Short mmCIF file of all heavy atoms in Angstrom, two decimals:
data_model
loop_
_atom_site.label_atom_id
_atom_site.label_comp_id
_atom_site.label_asym_id
_atom_site.label_seq_id
_atom_site.Cartn_x
_atom_site.Cartn_y
_atom_site.Cartn_z
N LEU A 224 4.20 13.81 24.16
CA LEU A 224 4.38 12.70 25.13
C LEU A 224 5.68 13.00 25.95
O LEU A 224 5.71 12.69 27.12
CB LEU A 224 4.46 11.38 24.40
CG LEU A 224 3.22 10.94 23.68
CD1 LEU A 224 3.42 9.62 23.00
CD2 LEU A 224 2.02 10.83 24.65
N GLY A 225 6.71 13.48 25.22
CA GLY A 225 7.92 13.82 25.97
C GLY A 225 7.74 14.89 26.98
O GLY A 225 8.29 14.86 28.09
N VAL A 226 6.95 15.91 26.70
CA VAL A 226 6.63 17.01 27.65
C VAL A 226 5.93 16.38 28.89
O VAL A 226 6.25 16.76 30.01
CB VAL A 226 5.79 18.08 26.97
CG1 VAL A 226 5.16 19.04 28.03
CG2 VAL A 226 6.60 18.88 25.99
N ALA A 227 5.00 15.55 28.66
CA ALA A 227 4.26 14.90 29.80
C ALA A 227 5.26 14.13 30.65
O ALA A 227 5.22 14.22 31.89
CB ALA A 227 3.18 14.02 29.24
N ALA A 228 6.09 13.35 30.00
CA ALA A 228 7.08 12.54 30.78
C ALA A 228 8.00 13.46 31.57
O ALA A 228 8.29 13.19 32.76
CB ALA A 228 7.86 11.69 29.85
N ALA A 229 8.47 14.55 30.95
CA ALA A 229 9.46 15.47 31.67
C ALA A 229 8.75 16.11 32.82
O ALA A 229 9.45 16.41 33.81
CB ALA A 229 9.91 16.54 30.68
N CYS A 230 7.42 16.30 32.78
CA CYS A 230 6.70 16.94 33.86
C CYS A 230 6.26 15.91 34.92
O CYS A 230 5.53 16.28 35.90
CB CYS A 230 5.49 17.66 33.38
SG CYS A 230 5.86 19.10 32.33
N GLY A 231 6.63 14.62 34.75
CA GLY A 231 6.23 13.64 35.74
C GLY A 231 4.81 13.18 35.55
O GLY A 231 4.24 12.53 36.49
N VAL A 232 4.17 13.43 34.47
CA VAL A 232 2.79 13.00 34.18
C VAL A 232 2.90 11.73 33.40
O VAL A 232 3.36 11.63 32.26
CB VAL A 232 2.01 14.04 33.37
CG1 VAL A 232 0.61 13.55 33.02
CG2 VAL A 232 1.94 15.33 34.08
N ASN A 233 2.48 10.60 34.03
CA ASN A 233 2.71 9.27 33.49
C ASN A 233 1.51 8.65 32.74
O ASN A 233 1.66 7.60 32.17
CB ASN A 233 3.18 8.32 34.61
CG ASN A 233 4.47 8.73 35.21
OD1 ASN A 233 5.37 9.18 34.55
ND2 ASN A 233 4.52 8.71 36.55
N GLU A 234 0.42 9.30 32.80
CA GLU A 234 -0.79 8.83 32.04
C GLU A 234 -1.62 9.98 31.63
O GLU A 234 -1.59 11.12 32.19
CB GLU A 234 -1.55 7.85 32.91
CG GLU A 234 -2.05 8.43 34.23
CD GLU A 234 -2.80 7.37 35.09
OE1 GLU A 234 -2.59 6.16 34.88
OE2 GLU A 234 -3.59 7.77 35.97
N LEU A 235 -2.35 9.78 30.53
CA LEU A 235 -3.15 10.89 29.91
C LEU A 235 -4.59 10.36 29.62
O LEU A 235 -4.73 9.18 29.29
CB LEU A 235 -2.46 11.36 28.64
CG LEU A 235 -1.12 12.00 28.80
CD1 LEU A 235 -0.49 12.27 27.41
CD2 LEU A 235 -1.24 13.31 29.59
#
Side-chain angles (χ1 to χ4, degrees):
L224 298 178
V226 167
C230 295
V232 177
N233 298 317
E234 56 184 24
L235 296 171

